[in-house]
Amino acid sequence: MRTLKPKQIVSLTLTLFAVFFGAGNMIFPPSMGQLAGKNFISALTGFILTDAGIALLGMIAVVLVGSEVGDLGKLVSKKFSIFLSVCIYLLIGPLFALPRTGSVSFELAIKPYVPSNSVWIASLIVTGIFFLVTYFLSSNPSKVIDIVGRILTPILLLCIVTLFFACFFHDKSAVGAIQYGEIPDPQGVYKDIPLFQGMIEGYNALDGPAGLVFAIIIINAVRDFGIESKKSIIKYTVICGIGAAVILSVVYFMLTYVGVVTLTPFENGGALLHAVSSDLLGTVGGVILGVAVLFACMTTAIGLTTSFSDYFHELFPSISYKKITALVCLFSFIISNIGLTQLVAISLPILMMIYPVTIVLVVLSFFNKYIQHRKMVYICAMVFAFCVAFINAMENTALPLGVLVEWCRHIPFYNLKFGWVLPAILGALIGMLPFWPANKEKNV
């Protein structure tokens, strides 16, 4: 039986890491570190669990049932498969991840050098150019992504490593424009529930849903090396997935630590990283970081745009690939000008609803051998999880649901924002009951 050489495994692992490590992943750990303080290890653990952890589980789930996200959805039905795929592509496409590439590019590379009274005009110009270039390059993306990815990803990682050591060895007692110091006490919810708040923060990186889509990349890459055995494909997906998760975790630790020792408050992680890099590494350091992030964001944007356009062109063949690409770039341009901080604030409640449903489906897929044709197990578990997660998410907005919130507060883990866990288990058990008509149909 054919096996992969260590060099090939390392190559696949680094490829998978590069796919997941968009520049947007840089902005959340530093801001989390600032708030978590002495509890940053617990918060970071939670962040890694729902970011790299769910992404890894999602890839394994997909490779166990097939080769793409639609195969996971078919455990419920063909219609649900399309619905799931559309939702995932919208999340990692024009609704959140794609606009964020434009916002992060502007925040780190351009905004620090623009007068405060011209920020909104500069944002329109820069993000407009960004998505215009994304549109033109999306017609032939592979070569651009390969060249930029091979050059810019190492530069970006080198910037992060340098920044980490600069913060680690910096004289904490020195007085300057930005204040650094010993690890401070935690703030807000990080005082009491750092692990669970870190898990919620992990939703923002969007690697969980992305893992379901990106699974096909590693599966095809393994097959390109001549591996055809299903067992071997699963094995190497797991090995490379774990390797990529470990690298991500190390990078997240360094970024979190930068936020932990930076005492000067910032609006978001992007502003913090640029200010600290310029302060500790000089103007050149800030510029290099900004340029590396800009091109890394462009690479991510091209990849997300082509993936989204390919899928929806396949779904709606009558609409040309170029039209879909133009629409998604135009929409992302509009959304990206909401501003990075506002974009994150808007997206979190929605992710708090979507993530639990995704996690439930992924976890249950590992028990598909025992669930078999009983699709109501998936349906009931996901519906129960969504209902509680929806109420929990609304409680964190200006639209609380009154008595429903009071009822849900009696559910275990609800105050930790994980009240959906036990209802999902209850829903799965109810779905096992034999009287459901859907459970009697083996061919759905």
Side-chain angles (χ1 to χ4, degrees), residues 21 26 29-30 33 40-41 44 155-172 180-181 183 247-262 272-281 285 289:
F21 188 68
M26 295 177 63
F40 83 96
I41 293 296
L44 178 61
I155 292 176
L156 197 56
L157 288 176
L158 182 61
C159 287
I160 294 170
V161 172
T162 305
L163 197 56
F164 167 73
F165 282 109
C167 283
F168 190 83
F169 291 109
H170 183 68
D171 182 4
K172 304 298 189 296
Y180 307 94
I183 299 177
I247 300 173
L248 275 171
S249 300
V250 172
V251 173
Y252 286 149
F253 170 79
M254 290 189 285
L255 290 170
T256 302
Y257 183 82
V258 172
V260 168
V261 298
T262 304
L272 184 152
L273 282 177
H274 185 275
V276 173
S277 61
S278 296
D279 185 54
L280 296 181
L281 306 178
L289 176 68

Side-chain angles (χ1 to χ4, degrees), residues 14-15 18-22 98 133-134 136-154 214 217 295-308 310 321:
L14 293 176
T15 298
V19 166
F20 278 110
F21 188 68
L98 193 49
V133 173
T134 298
F136 283 112
L137 294 183
S138 292
S139 60
N140 186 22
S142 57
K143 195 169 184 179
V144 175
I145 291 177
D146 182 55
I147 293 173
V148 176
R150 276 192 290 120
I151 297 172
L152 269 300
T153 297
F214 293 155
I217 294 175
F295 281 99
C297 280
M298 180 67 70
T299 304
T300 302
I302 293 169
L304 293 176
T305 300
T306 53
S307 296
F308 181 91
D310 281 337
Y321 172 87

Side-chain angles (χ1 to χ4, degrees), residues 363-425:
V363 171
L364 286 178
S365 71
F366 285 91
F367 301 94
N368 183 50
K369 181 171 67 174
Y370 307 102
I371 296 172
Q372 296 179 348
H373 60 277
R374 301 180 186 89
K375 71 174 185 176
M376 288 305 296
V377 173
Y378 298 103
I379 295 173
C380 290
M382 288 190 291
V383 168
F384 279 39
F386 177 80
C387 289
V388 177
F390 175 81
I391 295 170
N392 208 170
M394 288 298 99
E395 189 180 0
N396 286 272
T397 68
L399 298 171
L401 300 178
V403 67
L404 291 177
V405 173
E406 296 302 319
W407 290 346
C408 285
R409 283 178 180 167
H410 296 289
I411 300 175
F413 311 123
Y414 181 82
N415 290 333
L416 302 176
K417 299 183 176 65
F418 285 86
W420 54 269
V421 174
L422 291 182
I425 295 173

